[in-house]
Every structure is written in structure tokens, then in C-alpha cells.
Amino acid sequence: MHRGDEEAADAAIAVFNEDTGHACSRYDFLSYVGSRSAEEFARAAARPAYPRVPGITRDELVEIVRAALEPGQVVDAALAYRPIAL
């Protein structure tokens, strides 16, 4: 990709992404060497792509992340839960 046919590389990456469900770019293929082994890269590519939850808003995702970063609030809410007696 550094010296080769960029269009052919882009086409191969597009096929790879279509086959795997990932959204890899040229950068992913050129930079993995500095951060992980070829085996780790291949394992990540073999895993299913991150699932998308239809209908979830950005604000809802932000709320989920905030709750995960503040586990005390989640624990407090869980401990405060009282089921309704029927």
C-alpha cells in the first residue's frame, strides 16, 4: 500500500470489510505492526464486528457510559430497588 496500487488496496479492503462486517481502513493494515502482532490482528478481524443497537440515541449511549464510569450510582440504584408487592 505504501508503494503499490492504492485503488487495488482500497478494493481489497472493501471486500475484506464486506466479508467481515468490520470498517477497517488502510491505516489499520499499515499500523497494526506497531501495536499488536499479526495473529492478534487476525483474531480481531475474525471476531464479529461490534453490534449496532437500532434506535438507541447518542444521549442514551452517553448515559450508559456515565453510569459505567460511576459504579457507585449503579449499585445505589440497584440497592434502592424495591419490587412492587402484588
Side-chain angles (χ1 to χ4, degrees):
M1 281 186 273
H2 283 296
R3 295 178 218 139
D5 181 356
E6 290 185 6
E7 288 182 24
D10 288 340
I13 292 170
V15 170
F16 176 87
N17 287 335
E18 181 68 29
D19 289 347
T20 63
H22 290 279
C24 294
S25 67
R26 268 193 241 163
Y27 178 80
D28 295 308
F29 288 91
L30 294 171
S31 66
Y32 81 87
V33 176
S35 61
R36 55 188 168 173
S37 70
E39 182 179 345
E40 290 169 328
F41 182 80
R43 285 182 189 272
R47 289 187 191 107
Y50 292 111
R52 302 251 180 210
V53 178
I56 194 165
T57 67
R58 184 180 188 287
D59 290 339
E60 290 169 324
L61 289 172
V62 169
E63 183 179 335
I64 291 167
V65 170
R66 281 194 183 130
L69 294 175
E70 299 174 10
Q73 286 183 344
V74 175
V75 171
D76 292 342
L79 292 175
Y81 173 75
R82 301 286 182 251
I84 299 171
L86 299 174

